[in-house]
Amino acid sequence: MTFDPFTIIMLAVLAVLIFFMFRNSRKRQADARDLQSKVQPGAKVMTNFGVFGTILSIDEDENQVLVETSPGTVLTVHRQTIARVVEPAAVAAATEVGSVDADGAPEYGERVDDAPSDETPDTKKSDD
């Protein structure tokens, strides 16, 4: 039985797609394991519905997590609604607004405002 080139190419594409599906599945499982290892009382988290808070306690039997969103406000959510653990952002001195390079030039992408601030912006009026 001979295969034409089109059939060989389609089988190769199918094999590549299956490979990437398994790879993506393993990556998701690893990310889920990593997230569950970080979910501990005291961790700052964000839920799937966008609520930020701090974990107070975890009930393994009921799969419930007590999350304090503000002082005195405690939510009971399912453990799987914890979307991610919020880690504090590192504040670097080099990323401050108005920072300059060693030669005194502004950083790439930084907006430089040379116009005086007391001026009103020009507006175009119609000829009507």
Side-chain angles (χ1 to χ4, degrees):
M1 178 174 185
T2 61
F3 292 106
D4 60 346
F6 182 73
T7 304
I8 294 173
I9 291 172
M10 292 305 291
L11 288 174
V13 168
L14 180 65
V16 168
L17 287 175
I18 291 172
F19 169 75
F20 280 115
M21 283 188 342
F22 281 118
R23 183 174 150 226
N24 193 16
S25 174
R26 286 187 182 181
K27 185 176 179 183
R28 276 197 204 131
Q29 288 174 351
D31 289 343
R33 275 193 308 272
D34 186 39
L35 175 67
Q36 291 304 321
S37 69
K38 290 181 181 179
V39 174
Q40 298 172 355
K44 295 187 184 298
V45 295
M46 182 184 83
T47 62
N48 285 339
F49 39 94
V51 175
F52 289 89
T54 304
I55 295 178
L56 296 178
S57 67
I58 300 171
D59 185 5
E60 299 286 339
D61 298 332
E62 298 290 325
N63 281 330
Q64 293 179 348
V65 178
L66 293 177
V67 179
E68 183 178 32
T69 56
S70 62
T73 305
V74 178
L75 302 176
T76 303
V77 297
H78 194 275
R79 186 178 180 139
Q80 290 179 347
T81 61
I82 304 298
R84 66 182 175 105
V85 175
V86 179
E87 297 171 359
V91 178
T95 60
E96 292 179 5
V97 175
S99 60
V100 293
D101 291 341
D103 61 352
E107 288 185 8
Y108 178 77
E110 182 181 5
R111 178 173 284 182
V112 178
D113 189 18
D114 292 333
S117 61
D118 60 339
E119 236 179 76
T120 59
D122 294 335
T123 58
K124 184 176 180 182
K125 295 183 180 180
S126 63
D127 294 332
D128 294 336

